[in-house]
Amino acid sequence: MRKKLPIRTALATASVATMIMAAPAAFAQSTPASSDDEGLHYGARLGIEHDSNVLRSPSGGASDTAWTAGVGLKYNKQFSLQRIRADVEYDTWRYNDHSELNFNTLNYLLAWDWSVTPRLHGTVSADRRQFREVVTDPVTTGNLIGKRTERTELAEGAFDIAGPWQVLA
């Protein structure tokens, strides 16, 4: 006799299995590239997630199931002393019962690792990450649900003097 899994466990298992099977190089963390990582890579993912307190109510609350999908592109190429990196990902979340929670995100990391000589080098980059955010507001006795965007722009240069000494600007 087979034991049936509760719907939560089955959904979580299906979601994890889907994400593992669809985990492409496009969603990997940025690491120093080898020649195998160079070029254009793409990927997609599809998943389902069940949340037992989707509105983040302190007393518990409404549960809902969300379908998630995403596509991504990753480009990494060395040109002489220069390296160009791009990692762009588009995700969408769609809830069954609470359509007001549906949202889309566009996340990216764009970078140019420049070098005039092996001793004079730096990076120019832009990074953007978006997240769904639920803020509890006791004044209105409700929760505010929105999207948070974190952005970082960076321009830095370094000159290697000798040994471990380096001037960074």
Side-chain angles (χ1 to χ4, degrees):
M1 182 170 183
R2 289 182 62 184
K3 182 178 177 183
K4 287 187 175 183
L5 291 174
I7 188 71
R8 265 194 198 153
T9 307
L11 290 175
T13 304
S15 179
V16 169
T18 301
M19 289 176 12
I20 289 172
M21 289 186 303
F27 299 109
Q29 192 72 339
S30 292
T31 57
S34 68
S35 60
D36 295 339
D37 294 335
E38 286 196 350
L40 181 64
H41 303 275
Y42 57 90
R45 68 173 184 79
L46 182 63
I48 186 170
E49 179 180 299
H50 182 77
D51 191 340
S52 61
N53 188 3
V54 73
L55 300 175
R56 303 297 181 255
S57 171
S59 61
S63 64
D64 202 354
T65 301
W67 293 89
T68 65
V71 294
L73 288 173
K74 186 173 185 178
Y75 181 73
N76 187 349
K77 186 72 175 166
Q78 176 100 28
F79 300 96
S80 184
L81 294 176
Q82 315 302 310
R83 178 172 296 280
I84 303 295
R85 294 179 287 136
D87 191 354
V88 180
E89 181 181 327
Y90 177 81
D91 292 312
T92 186
W93 292 71
R94 296 290 176 253
Y95 287 85
N96 286 339
D97 299 327
H98 294 279
S99 61
E100 72 277 6
L101 299 178
N102 293 349
F103 70 100
N104 304 315
T105 63
L106 176 64
N107 299 321
Y108 60 80
L109 169 65
L110 307 171
W112 170 34
D113 298 325
W114 60 268
S115 183
V116 177
T117 69
R119 293 177 66 184
L120 179 60
H121 54 90
T123 301
V124 176
S125 67
D127 185 13
R128 178 176 115 159
R129 301 284 168 228
Q130 291 182 319
F131 308 93
R132 180 180 72 134
E133 186 171 62
V134 179
V135 178
T136 303
D137 186 4
V139 175
T140 62
T141 64
N143 293 333
L144 303 173
I145 300 167
K147 191 183 328 182
R148 181 182 74 219
T149 302
E150 295 177 357
R151 292 179 46 168
T152 304
E153 287 84 19
L154 171 72
E156 70 178 12
F159 181 73
D160 298 332
I161 298 172
W165 296 100
Q166 183 181 67
V167 176
L168 181 65

